[in-house]
Amino acid sequence: MTPFERALRERIQADGPLTVEAYMEACNNYYYATRDPLGTGGDFTTAPEISQMFGEMVGATLAASWQAAGSPADAIYVELGPGRGTLSADALRVLVAAGFDGEAHLVETSPLLREAQAAAVPRAHWHDALGDLPDRPWLLIANEFLDALPIRQRVGGAERHVIIAGGGLAFDRDGEIIEESPVREKVVTDLSAHLARRGGVALTVDYGHARTAPGDTLQAVRGHRFAPILDKPGEQDLTSHVDFEAIARAAAKAGSSVTPLVTQGEWLNRLGIGARAAALAGANPDRSADLAAAVQRLTGKKEMGDLFKVLAIHCPDWPQPAGFA
Ligand code: SAH
């Protein structure tokens, strides 16, 4: 048993059953603080790690919105949960080429991942939470960030907990599960209130569903495979599917405008990922096959294309960002 699991069990023995929300929070804090989980040697791979084209499409969308809003000089680039900083580096390259000269602000709790991000974006500024960001217009991206925030689960109206039973960790109840994520909704509410008041746009990209529905979507991934949720606490990535209806509702309630929800495949195709791949292949013919494979992974219906969705939230005074209509 790892020292982290021992501490978790002692906590349950001392304080009683742990809510799924508290369990997920404790496990993920430990998990992200102690490793770089990305890439072939890690537990999972994300869109920006598959190809530079993903971050470039994000950068192009943010740049077009910024220009359409009159290129405000005080705007800043913001990323929530930037992983290795790959997406930031790719998006900022496009933003800078479009004339953006603003600062880069990264919200990241893991000291280890901050180091990786510093290598990719040396001029960045770091923050522990959204509330610490400067009061300026934001050009914000959150890719596979909301899914990592803790959720609550309820069965028959009662909150679901993690307990110790039969010498191991177990859930205290089973049945039809209703999920909600007050932490996730607070992040969306706070960022949407900021965009409405101060200007800017936020792109959220994640796996999830368009309508609120019952169901257990909590999942654990380790070594690129699904694993039992309560196995190896703190050693595997715990996420859940994002309820985009709840996100859109929170954003609108806070005064921001919300785009239609589109699939990642649809969005990237509308933004011209095919043309970008062709241009890159023209300049590097030996990379043609890799580029075609990357486009397929990012947009293919059986790959990331349909499972992942994109929702943009923007200041009502800013036009709707590209790729949603
Ligand atoms: N966006 C990156 C990484 C996704 S992994 C990519 O697409 O490759 C999730 C990221 O969110 C990691 O960087 C993790 O450390 C960070 N993270 C998780 N919970 C967080 C929290 N509560 N506050 C800030 N960052 C968090």
Side-chain angles (χ1 to χ4, degrees), residues 296-317:
Q296 180 57 29
R297 268 185 88 181
L298 293 172
T299 65
K301 286 194 188 305
K302 290 195 174 136
E303 303 193 54
M304 295 178 83
D306 262 4
L307 177 62
F308 281 74
K309 315 281 193 305
V310 190
L311 182 81
I313 301 165
H314 60 101
C315 175
D317 299 339

Side-chain angles (χ1 to χ4, degrees), residues 52-64 66-67 87-100 276:
Q52 71 185 73
M53 293 184 284
F54 183 80
E56 289 172 348
M57 296 291 132
V58 168
T61 303
L62 296 178
W66 175 69
Q67 287 171 338
L87 198 170
S88 279
D90 293 335
L92 281 163
R93 208 170 48 243
V94 174
L95 276 157
V96 168
F100 175 78
R276 180 63 185 143

Side-chain angles (χ1 to χ4, degrees), residues 1-10 168-169 230-233:
M1 197 186 303
T2 62
F4 175 75
E5 181 170 356
R6 190 167 303 121
L8 200 66
R9 286 179 180 224
E10 281 165 10
L169 296 174
L230 300 177
D231 264 17
K232 302 195 168 53

Side-chain angles (χ1 to χ4, degrees), residues 209-261:
H209 37 274
R211 294 279 163 260
T212 304
D216 182 4
T217 76
L218 187 57
Q219 64 184 43
V221 167
R222 181 176 159 85
H224 301 268
R225 281 162 197 247
F226 290 112
I229 314 274
L230 300 177
D231 264 17
K232 302 195 168 53
E235 300 296 321
Q236 45 191 24
D237 186 44
L238 293 182
T239 60
S240 78
H241 282 210
V242 171
D243 176 353
F244 279 103
E245 186 177 352
I247 299 297
R249 202 186 307 120
K253 201 173 161 197
S256 265
S257 298
V258 183
T259 64
L261 183 70

Side-chain angles (χ1 to χ4, degrees), residues 167-190:
L169 296 174
F171 289 110
D172 65 344
R173 60 189 80 236
D174 287 310
E176 186 176 67
I177 288 172
I178 304 282
E179 295 181 345
E180 61 172 0
S181 178
V183 175
R184 193 183 283 160
E185 284 181 33
K186 179 163 190 335
V187 166
V188 173
T189 296
D190 291 352

Side-chain angles (χ1 to χ4, degrees), residues 18-77:
L18 205 56
T19 62
V20 167
E21 186 180 39
Y23 178 79
M24 197 173 167
E25 184 188 16
C27 289
N28 275 353
N29 279 347
Y30 178 82
Y31 175 79
Y32 284 111
T34 50
R35 78 211 64 214
D36 172 357
L38 294 152
T40 43
D43 292 321
F44 58 96
T45 300
T46 56
E49 300 299 330
I50 291 171
S51 169
Q52 71 185 73
M53 293 184 284
F54 183 80
E56 289 172 348
M57 296 291 132
V58 168
T61 303
L62 296 178
S65 283
W66 175 69
Q67 287 171 338
S71 308
D74 57 346
I76 55 169
Y77 171 86

